[in-house]
């Protein structure tokens, strides 16, 4: 959030307008919706890849910045970054993409036309879920403006956290390659399994029967994590609100680590057999 707030406060002037996707990072949406208005900054939230709505907002407002998570969490919706960047730039708006869920290995928004890319360094970059930090990359011109605000807010990393992030970056490409392979093989294994779909209570029993993954809400580290978004991340939403944004009660989000695929597969299959 230190990185996100620094970008918004340094690049969106009073009287400016922000466009954000409806399924972007919850804390960021709340800041855009509730705090920027106190500074005379307005905002519109649009569905991801709804180009008609985005065009309308760009034409009717003085938009300073477009913000989105891509892929989104936990639904994995992906933005056409190149198309959105071309559209926003034609109206003088900057494009700011949170690419945390993809990692810098799987997606490079700056190459696709975005002006700024955000990563939660807590996730893939730092490796062990033991650091709280964020990072923003972009042109020297934009970063110099953000850096000043970043220091004013008191959000620079402490040396120990910076060291641990640098440590984790050294194995980033190796870990993500392993995690990609595990996730793909697991998808093939489970896509036709008869016990994958279930109700809320069955889902809870499955999660509790797993032995290897930790039950936690982070992602991208060496250890596999599992969580039930309806219970752990969207618990304060009503059932109707969750259904509207696609969060089903029986949805499970896995974030695979670097354990052996065979061990993870055996664990998942034994948990399914208990349903």
């Amino acid at each position: 959030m230190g990185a996100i707030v620094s970008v918004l406060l340094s690049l969106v002037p009073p009287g400016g307008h922000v466009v954000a996707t409806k399924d972007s990072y919850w804390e960021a949406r709340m800041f855009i919706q509730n705090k920027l208005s106190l500074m005379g900054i307005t905002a519109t939230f649009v569905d991801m890849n709804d180009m008609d709505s985005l065009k309308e907002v760009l034409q009717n407002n003085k938009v300073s910045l477009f913000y989105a998570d891509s892929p989104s969490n936990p639904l994995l919706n992906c933005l056409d970054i190149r198309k959105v960047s071309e559209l926003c730039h034609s109206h003088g708006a900057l494009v700011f993409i949170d690419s945390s869920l993809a990692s810098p290995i799987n997606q490079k928004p700056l190459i696709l036309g975005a002006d700024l890319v955000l990563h939660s360094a807590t996730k893939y970059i730092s490796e062990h879920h033991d650091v709280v930090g964020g990072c923003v990359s972009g042109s020297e011109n934009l970063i110099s403006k953000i850096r000043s605000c970043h220091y004013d807010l008191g959000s620079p990393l402490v040396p120990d956290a910076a060291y641990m992030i640098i440590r984790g970056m050294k194995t980033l490409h190796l870990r993500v390659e392993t995690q990609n392979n595990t996730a793909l093989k697991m998808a093939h294994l489970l896509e036709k399994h008869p016990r994958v779909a279930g109700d809320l209570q069955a889902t809870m029993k499955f999660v509790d029967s797993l032995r290897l993954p930790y039950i936690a809400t982070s992602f991208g580290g060496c250890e596999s994590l599992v969580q039930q978004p309806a219970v752990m991340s969207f618990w304060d939403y009503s059932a109707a609100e969750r259904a509207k944004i696609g969060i089903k009660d029986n949805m499970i989000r896995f974030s695979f680590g670097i354990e052996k695929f065979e061990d993870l597969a055996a664990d998942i299959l034994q948990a399914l057999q208990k349903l």
Side-chain angles (χ1 to χ4, degrees):
M1 279 305 295
I4 294 171
V5 172
S6 295
V7 169
L8 292 170
L9 295 186
S10 59
L11 299 180
V12 183
H17 194 89
V18 173
V19 183
T21 53
K22 293 179 180 178
D23 55 356
S24 55
Y25 184 42
W26 186 84
E27 283 83 355
R29 281 189 286 119
M30 293 301 99
F31 182 84
I32 292 170
Q33 178 179 301
N34 301 325
K35 301 294 175 60
L36 288 185
S37 60
L38 302 176
M39 306 168 198
I41 297 171
T42 53
T44 301
F45 295 90
V46 298
D47 291 326
M48 188 175 287
N49 289 314
D50 185 345
M51 293 297 133
D52 290 336
S53 294
L54 179 57
K55 288 178 183 177
E56 184 178 349
V57 176
L58 289 167
Q59 290 168 354
N60 296 332
N61 299 272
K62 187 178 180 181
V63 177
S64 303
L65 184 139
F66 171 89
Y67 168 72
D69 282 33
S70 182
S72 66
N73 181 18
L75 296 175
L76 303 179
N77 293 321
C78 292
L79 184 74
D80 188 334
I81 297 174
R82 192 182 302 280
K83 188 174 182 179
V84 167
S85 296
E86 291 173 355
L87 180 59
C88 289
H89 291 160
S90 68
H91 289 80
L94 297 171
V95 175
F96 179 32
I97 302 296
D98 185 337
S99 190
S100 296
L101 206 63
S103 86
I105 304 300
N106 288 329
Q107 178 174 266
K108 295 177 170 57
L110 298 181
I111 293 177
L112 297 173
D115 300 284
L116 295 161
V117 58
L118 170 78
H119 285 281
S120 170
T122 308
K123 309 301 192 296
Y124 288 99
I125 293 175
S126 67
E127 184 176 15
H128 291 292
H129 309 298
D130 56 0
V131 174
V132 176
C135 59
V136 180
S137 300
S139 69
E140 183 177 358
N141 177 49
L142 292 176
I143 295 300
S144 64
K145 296 176 182 178
I146 297 166
R147 189 183 301 279
S148 176
C149 184
H150 158 69
Y151 280 110
D152 291 340
L153 291 173
S155 58
L157 288 171
V158 298
D160 188 53
Y163 162 76
M164 289 191 286
I165 291 172
I166 292 172
R167 174 203 61 184
M169 288 175 66
K170 294 177 181 178
T171 59
L172 177 62
H173 66 292
L174 299 173
R175 290 183 283 107
V176 174
E177 181 179 357
T178 298
Q179 290 161 317
N180 285 346
N181 291 334
T182 295
L184 181 60
K185 289 193 287 187
M186 201 69 73
H188 288 316
L189 175 68
L190 297 177
E191 62 183 345
K192 296 181 180 179
H193 196 287
R195 297 187 180 182
V196 166
D199 59 22
L200 177 62
Q201 294 303 321
T203 304
M204 288 180 170
K205 183 176 181 180
F206 169 77
V207 171
D208 288 340
S209 297
L210 292 167
R211 297 167 181 167
L212 289 181
Y214 291 94
I215 300 176
T217 58
S218 190
F219 59 86
C222 288
E223 305 85 6
S224 290
L225 304 179
V226 63
Q227 68 139 317
Q228 193 172 355
V231 176
M232 297 175 63
S233 299
F234 293 84
W235 55 269
D236 55 344
Y237 284 59
S238 67
E241 289 173 329
R242 290 197 299 270
K244 186 176 180 180
I245 59 178
I247 305 297
K248 298 180 180 180
D249 287 347
N250 65 351
M251 174 187 285
I252 293 174
R253 192 194 77 176
F254 273 102
S255 173
F256 292 113
I258 61 173
E259 303 94 340
K260 287 182 63 177
F261 168 78
E262 292 78 10
D263 293 341
L264 289 168
D267 189 30
I268 289 174
L269 292 175
Q270 68 83 21
L272 286 171
Q273 290 302 316
K274 294 183 177 178
L275 300 183

